[in-house]
Amino acid sequence: MRAMKRILRNCVAAAILLAAFSGHLLSQQKETAKTSSKTKNAVREWPSFSNGHEPGTWDAMIQEDNVNIQFYGDHWSNGRNIALSELGKLPEENIGEFSLNRAAGKISFKGVFEDRFGHGTYTFDENTGFKNYLQQRGYTGLDKEFMMNVFFTDISKGYFDFMVANGYNEITNSEFKDLVEQNMNQKLMADYFDLIKTEGYGHQSLGKLVELREHGVRPDFIRGFEQMGYKKITLDQALDLRDHGVTPKFVTEIRSMGYPDISLDKAQDLRDHGVTPKFVNEMKAMGYGDISLDRAQELRDHGVNPEYIKSMQAMGYKNITLEKAQELRDHGVNPAFISGIQKLGFKDISLDKAQELRDHGVSVAYIQKVKAKGLANITTLDDYIKLKDTGF
């Protein structure tokens, strides 16, 4: 009985991990534990995940020819895409073992895949010979966690030969650390080198390449703009665009709405001011089809958005112009203010009158205060404005 309880307890723990990643069925895990003696023996070795993922656990999802694996360690987690061809046959239905070998070491996996989703445990054994090689090159701080990142980046002796062939004969300890931590593997570096060569950027420092990577400026990001006709983009300009959220997709969407000549500087201005394709599209859909990008940016700066205009239209002001909407915003007139005035009995208030009330400081609270005084001669909104102007 105790053995059965232990099996069920461990099985449930394993299912919690799977549910956290993919929502797979707990009942199927229980059935596997009950019917397969092989699985039953493996489950006995399963760790407890009652407090979340623990060091040495993983979960994964198969995506076409790759497996996205999330590794969990001491106070860290690391997601990597690994080619299916590197992992070999994956265990299905029953818990099994598979491994991944690279120059920096070996990861041994234990776990199971169900449909496209998997979970389990792993151990990493570093290659002491390769670690000694790195130390001979002068690299320090090679603890186990760092060596795992070397493993994930797939650094090998050939990596250094590749870097020398591209003009980087000496890689300092700090540069090596940055390359590893940013997962700048040989494939990615080759893409950067090809971009630099074809676009004539000249020799770039490793620090600049790392900066591009840190900011999310991959070669295809720059190529995307060039394919749209934006030539001679500097690397610093690419960094600015990425930092401000200007992507080829963003510019393509703006251009498709009738602004084919938008400059990258203007695209960056729009992003900085919160003007999105959705904002412009909604304005156009509301009947403001001739809106320019400069006008859209100005409206956004003044707080005039589709939601504001829709709310005003819903109150009966169907024909409100953009100019009037901006003027009202500047004077602090919003639907809540107008609604408050209407609830006091002034149903047919015009937008001009609402703005005049705001300008003279006649608020809902002020009108309520005057009403409480029982002043019989104060009945119209003009009366309240005149009274407010007297200092009452």
Side-chain angles (χ1 to χ4, degrees):
M1 181 62 70
R2 286 190 298 174
M4 180 58 70
K5 289 181 178 179
R6 187 188 315 118
I7 292 170
L8 291 175
R9 183 175 62 251
N10 288 334
C11 185
V12 171
I16 289 173
L17 171 59
L18 181 59
F21 177 72
S22 63
H24 276 274
L25 300 177
L26 176 61
S27 60
Q28 294 183 11
Q29 294 294 329
K30 289 183 176 179
E31 188 63 27
T32 301
K34 291 178 181 178
T35 58
S36 171
S37 60
K38 179 179 179 181
T39 303
K40 188 181 297 182
N41 291 334
V43 169
R44 286 196 182 100
E45 302 174 12
W46 214 257
S48 171
F49 304 127
S50 58
N51 295 320
H53 292 292
E54 294 186 359
T57 62
W58 60 271
D59 51 33
M61 181 172 66
I62 299 174
Q63 298 174 312
E64 297 181 349
D65 296 330
N66 293 293
V67 183
N68 181 270
I69 303 180
Q70 191 77 18
F71 296 87
Y72 300 91
D74 292 310
H75 313 297
W76 61 268
S77 64
N78 201 324
R80 299 287 173 154
N81 284 316
I82 300 171
L84 269 171
S85 57
E86 281 195 270
L87 296 172
K89 183 174 176 56
L90 302 175
E92 299 178 358
E93 296 184 2
N94 296 326
I95 293 173
E97 298 179 354
F98 58 104
S99 63
L100 178 62
N101 288 278
R102 289 178 173 175
K106 174 182 178 182
I107 291 184
S108 300
F109 298 88
K110 179 181 289 186
V112 64
F113 278 81
E114 185 180 8
D115 296 327
R116 296 183 299 115
F117 301 94
H119 63 287
T121 62
Y122 74 90
T123 57
F124 172 66
D125 297 307
E126 59 188 40
N127 182 342
T128 55
F130 187 71
K131 184 175 183 178
N132 290 336
Y133 166 77
L134 294 177
Q135 289 173 331
Q136 289 170 6
R137 292 185 64 93
Y139 301 129
T140 60
L142 307 179
D143 57 23
K144 189 169 185 177
E145 182 177 336
F146 184 77
M147 286 301 296
M148 277 196 72
N149 284 327
V150 173
F151 176 91
F152 288 137
T153 311
D154 201 7
I155 301 291
S156 65
K157 293 181 180 180
Y159 181 89
F160 295 100
D161 295 335
F162 166 77
M163 295 296 285
V164 170
N166 283 278
Y168 299 91
N169 298 324
E170 298 293 333
I171 301 175
T172 67
N173 192 62
S174 61
E175 288 173 338
F176 180 59
K177 181 180 179 181
D178 288 338
L179 291 171
V180 169
E181 291 184 348
Q182 293 300 321
N183 191 30
M184 300 185 73
N185 55 48
Q186 187 168 327
K187 181 180 179 181
L188 177 60
M189 295 302 292
D191 204 11
Y192 275 120
F193 294 154
D194 179 66
L195 175 75
I196 289 170
K197 181 180 179 180
T198 57
E199 300 303 326
Y201 287 120
H203 185 80
Q204 296 293 321
S205 68
L206 288 179
K208 175 57 73 174
L209 298 182
V210 169
E211 183 184 11
L212 293 172
R213 171 67 166 165
E214 286 178 329
H215 290 254
V217 180
R218 295 181 63 109
D220 57 358
F221 176 83
I222 297 176
R223 293 190 184 106
F225 286 117
E226 292 176 340
Q227 290 167 2
M228 296 169 64
Y230 300 102
K231 303 298 183 182
K232 297 182 179 179
I233 297 176
T234 68
L235 295 180
D236 286 335
Q237 184 182 13
L239 285 166
D240 281 341
L241 291 170
R242 195 70 177 88
D243 288 346
H244 289 262
V246 179
T247 64
K249 180 182 177 182
F250 175 81
V251 177
T252 298
E253 290 178 348
I254 295 293
R255 290 173 65 167
S256 69
M257 291 188 294
Y259 310 97
D261 300 324
I262 181 175
S263 68
L264 292 181
D265 287 340
K266 187 59 184 178
Q268 185 169 318
D269 280 344
L270 294 176
R271 264 301 197 191
D272 290 346
H273 291 260
V275 179
T276 64
K278 180 182 177 182
F279 177 89
V280 178
N281 266 331
E282 289 187 356
M283 284 295 192
K284 285 177 173 289
M286 295 170 66
Y288 308 106
D290 59 347
I291 185 173
S292 69
L293 293 178
D294 286 338
R295 185 73 176 111
Q297 183 173 317
E298 182 183 13
L299 291 169
R300 195 72 175 85
D301 289 346
H302 287 261
V304 179
N305 54 38
E307 291 74 21
Y308 177 78
I309 294 177
K310 288 177 183 177
S311 64
M312 296 297 285
Q313 290 177 338
M315 299 186 71
Y317 307 102
K318 302 294 185 182
N319 299 319
I320 183 172
T321 65
L322 294 179
E323 289 71 21
K324 190 59 182 178
Q326 182 174 325
E327 188 178 349
L328 292 170
R329 266 300 201 188
D330 290 345
H331 289 259
V333 178
N334 55 41
F337 175 77
I338 296 176
S339 177
I341 298 295
Q342 289 176 336
K343 289 177 181 178
L344 293 175
F346 305 98
K347 301 296 185 182
D348 298 325
I349 180 174
S350 68
L351 293 178
D352 287 338
K353 182 58 69 176
Q355 183 174 320
E356 185 181 4
L357 292 172
R358 266 300 199 189
D359 290 347
H360 288 264
V362 178
S363 64
V364 171
Y366 177 78
I367 296 176
Q368 290 173 330
K369 177 182 176 181
V370 173
K371 281 180 174 291
K373 298 290 185 180
L375 302 179
N377 61 327
I378 305 298
T379 57
T380 68
L381 292 176
D382 286 333
D383 290 336
Y384 284 102
I385 291 173
K386 292 176 182 179
L387 186 63
K388 181 65 174 176
D389 289 346
T390 66
F392 178 80

